Amino acid sequence: YYTPEPVVNYIVRSLNIILKENFNRRDGFATHSVTVLDPAAGTLTFLAEATRLALQEFVDKYGSGTKEQFIQDHILKHFFAFELMMAPYAIAHMKVGLKLAETGYRFHSAERARIYLTNALEPWLKQLRLIGFDALAHEAADVNEVKRHKRFTIIIGNPPYSLTSANM
């Protein structure tokens, strides 16, 4: 489902304020202890905005001298997304790469965005080796570790909509 950009911006900015004011995370999304998951990422609209806001927050407070280190140590390690469908998953990877490239960041050979092709509602499973599909087997093993061990501060994403909502 498409969420208009102003709605995404409002939700992400609101969460950033809540992190600061209610949870004592003084840098909002840029706080190192904050971990973020979008369990139905689509083309990464929400997580891309959270990334943009975290980078802006960091640069505004600490300058751009250590921005690359911030991306490596925080964004690439603490911002996660799950997507079930292949096309949005591929677009999400492309989008995060382009967004980070706009900041001057270039991925190093072993780095990746933590975007996984998976069903967020399925529990972690012991992964069997898929002969001929090493990349997918590796991806499945990685996401299973995330599902099994990772804890998230923020779950972000498209809000539930209802045409007959009592909350107009």
Side-chain angles (χ1 to χ4, degrees), residues 43-72:
T43 58
L44 213 66
T45 305
F46 282 89
L47 203 62
E49 179 60 18
T51 299
R52 186 200 64 74
L53 188 58
L55 279 166
Q56 177 186 341
E57 190 88 31
F58 180 83
V59 169
D60 288 351
K61 287 187 176 182
Y62 306 106
S64 60
T66 58
K67 180 174 61 176
E68 182 171 329
Q69 195 66 46
F70 172 75
I71 291 170
Q72 289 173 336

Side-chain angles (χ1 to χ4, degrees), residues 100-116:
L100 291 178
E102 287 173 6
T103 72
Y105 187 80
R106 299 291 182 260
F107 281 93
H108 300 267
S109 62
E111 289 180 325
R112 64 163 290 178
R114 303 288 188 239
I115 304 165
Y116 296 100

Side-chain angles (χ1 to χ4, degrees), residues 113-151:
R114 303 288 188 239
I115 304 165
Y116 296 100
L117 184 63
T118 188
N119 183 345
L121 300 177
E122 288 181 353
W124 74 275
L125 304 167
K126 184 163 176 78
Q127 183 63 39
L128 299 175
R129 185 159 165 19
L130 299 173
I131 298 171
F133 296 97
D134 290 342
L136 287 176
H138 183 70
E139 172 106 350
D142 285 352
V143 77
N144 285 338
E145 286 301 306
V146 170
K147 287 180 176 183
R148 187 171 183 202
H149 298 293
K150 197 72 175 164
R151 300 297 173 253

